[in-house]
Amino acid sequence: MMKIHGDFRQLRVAVLVSGGGTNLQALIDRAAQGDWSATIVAVASDRDGAYGLVRAEKAGIPAHVVDYGSLLKGGFGAGSWEPSSAELKELDSAQKILRITDEHARLHRLKRLVMAEHQLITLLDPHEPDLVCLAGFMRLVSPYFLRHYNGDGGWRVLNIHPALLPAFPGEHGYEDTLGYGCRWGGVTVHFVDEGEDTGPIIAQAVYPIWPDDTLERVRRRGLSLEYSVYAQCIQWIADGQVQVTGTPSRRTTTIKDPRYPEVLRGWTHRALASEPPL
Ligand code: GAR
């Protein structure tokens, strides 16, 4: 189980990416400003060739790859760790991400996912992360991974999602928001739970969608919000200002920062100042 380092004054953060890693870059830049209470101690990707890995290397941050693509097809070396069938069944009863109805096929898929996660954990743990931040990490996360980091009731795995959850979970937040005809789009930072994009929301910010907007403009507007919101949420956690509240069936959070309204106003004003297309 993960240890918490000190009293959260300087959080050790591992960032998981799958692609370009502009969120990762924003966090690297935020850290470089020197007034942020988090240090990025490791980056990992589910695929070789993710540009986020290059960003990490340029910043001198250890970067790791677990090739989920080949592992999920069964590319494990001889003697690789694997879960017992009892453990696998128990993980299956807790998971909400794989909706394969055939039990045998679902367990098979879950087993490979858990084995890939085991490799990821093995690479991340020497860096002793306090938080694991998914930043464009396009893989499902199983209860095996969550339990490892959350331990007994903690919330240590975060995700940034490019839509105003619970609307538009999944992989195409900007496309889905624009395609639906929404007048406002949003971004969400949440703790990760056993479902897909269903965990307790920490913060959300909105941006306008102007008439005749394009996906490219919408994405650019949303991403620029993502960068600020993610860094701020990590700061709030470092400051001990995020409390997970609610009921067991619907966990929510409370932000204790007295400056919260000001922060929210800042995000909204900035997003509103974006130019509508002519
Ligand atoms: C971001 O928009 C992030 O919110 C999204 O992927 C993009 C990654 O961009 N994540 C998801 O859709 C997760 N379901 P980046 O690699 O440039 O940070």
Side-chain angles (χ1 to χ4, degrees), residues 72 76 81-98 100 102-118 142-145 147:
L72 294 183
F76 293 94
W81 172 90
E82 47 180 84
S84 70
S85 54
E87 189 177 2
L88 193 59
K89 284 225 157 156
E90 200 281 316
L91 288 168
D92 184 46
S93 67
Q95 68 89 18
K96 294 180 189 152
I97 45 172
L98 297 177
I100 306 166
D102 178 70
E103 189 189 16
H104 180 75
R106 191 177 63 248
L107 288 174
H108 186 68
R109 179 83 184 173
L110 182 61
K111 181 175 172 184
R112 288 182 175 178
L113 176 60
V114 166
M115 287 172 75
E117 289 179 341
H118 183 81
S142 87
Y144 177 75
F145 188 87
R147 286 173 188 175

Side-chain angles (χ1 to χ4, degrees), residues 17-24 135-138 159-162 170-174 197 219 223 226-227:
V17 299
S18 294
T22 64
N23 270 287
L24 166 66
F137 185 67
M138 300 309 214
N159 182 41
I160 181 134
H161 184 74
E171 290 185 12
H172 306 290
Y174 291 123
D197 300 325
R219 191 193 304 279
L223 274 169
E226 289 188 35
Y227 306 151

